[in-house]
Amino acid sequence: METTDRRSWVLTAILVAIVYCAVGVVFQGPFGWRLAAWLVSAVGYVVHLAYEHFRLRNSSRAAALHAAAAVALGTFGLALAATLHRAFSAVSGADFRLYALALVAWPILTALPAFVVGLIITSALARFEMHAHIADRLR
């Protein structure tokens, strides 16, 4: 992999992570807002996978890994925002060990499923493209 390719996917992952984090912070509130945050994040995830697969032509594993990295960075940002919010709020009694745990746990708990789902989606896309290519050659 060339350095420019590496910078391209890392920059994309960072930008998508910023979007995930911003969506999580902005869409706080009642259930409807949280649902909207999930939908916006899901659209961002699918667009990121499509960009990795169709534009960058990455393998299924690489595309899933890059998307999972963006998810992990985004949830780390959310955990960091929650920790900072708690540290500077007037509410007392917070156990900061739980916030420290969230800094590690949230990225892991979100990146693993994001990788598996991304791998399934991009593998299906690759298989579909292969079958479409074979069908075109038979015509």
Side-chain angles (χ1 to χ4, degrees), residues 2-14:
E2 291 182 12
T3 306
T4 55
D5 292 341
R6 186 178 305 124
R7 276 188 294 208
S8 176
W9 85 257
V10 170
L11 179 61
T12 301
I14 289 170

Side-chain angles (χ1 to χ4, degrees), residues 95-108:
D95 186 357
F96 281 101
R97 290 177 293 177
L98 294 176
Y99 287 93
L101 177 63
L103 291 170
V104 176
W106 286 9
I108 293 170

